[in-house]
Amino acid sequence: MDFIEQLQKEKIRLLGLVSSIDNLLSQYNSFSADFKSNIQNSFKSDTPSVVYNEPVYNSLSVVKKKLSLKDQVKEVVLNLKQFSKSSDIVEALFNLYPEKKKDEAAFKVQISGILSKLGSDGEIVKYQFSTSRKDAVWGKKEFLDENGMPKSEFLEWIL
């Protein structure tokens, strides 16, 4: 991938984040008072720092041949430090399967199906900010509070 393609891909990713933030802002009034309080308390200064997911997937390369793709997707999600979009999870898996970049669209569909299956089995959780598919994030059950709302500390990258 050349420099221009990388910039275009980054632009698309960032525009997706901006769109998610817009959706979050438009739905803010529908959030519970506790959730709003958690969000507000998570910011210690006037200038919140945006924290992006750091890769924690390098250890998986050792077990690549020992785990099924489904188990590797689950392992990636369970090793996340916060909620992540499916596109971030796919990017992490490209570290294990660089050959899949040749047919990126098919691989994304495959991973999306696996994420849905893991979510419906209750092995991971999905939180949907709006009706748009791109506003869904995946993570551990521990990332949700007792009311099923995301804990603010696991949403720092999107707030």
Side-chain angles (χ1 to χ4, degrees), residues 89-100:
I89 295 165
V90 168
E91 280 299 315
L93 289 163
F94 278 143
N95 292 333
L96 296 174
Y97 295 96
E99 69 277 6
K100 297 288 189 177

Side-chain angles (χ1 to χ4, degrees), residues 20-65:
S20 295
I21 291 168
D22 286 344
N23 284 329
L24 210 86
L25 289 171
S26 69
Q27 295 181 18
Y28 182 78
N29 290 332
S30 66
F31 294 150
S32 71
D34 288 340
F35 186 63
K36 287 179 186 178
S37 176
N38 286 341
I39 291 172
Q40 291 167 354
N41 290 335
S42 71
F43 295 108
K44 305 293 184 230
S45 70
D46 293 336
T47 313
S49 59
V50 177
V51 179
Y52 294 96
N53 284 335
E54 295 176 24
V56 291
Y57 319 106
N58 294 337
S59 63
L60 290 178
S61 60
V62 177
V63 294
K64 174 181 175 184
K65 294 181 174 128

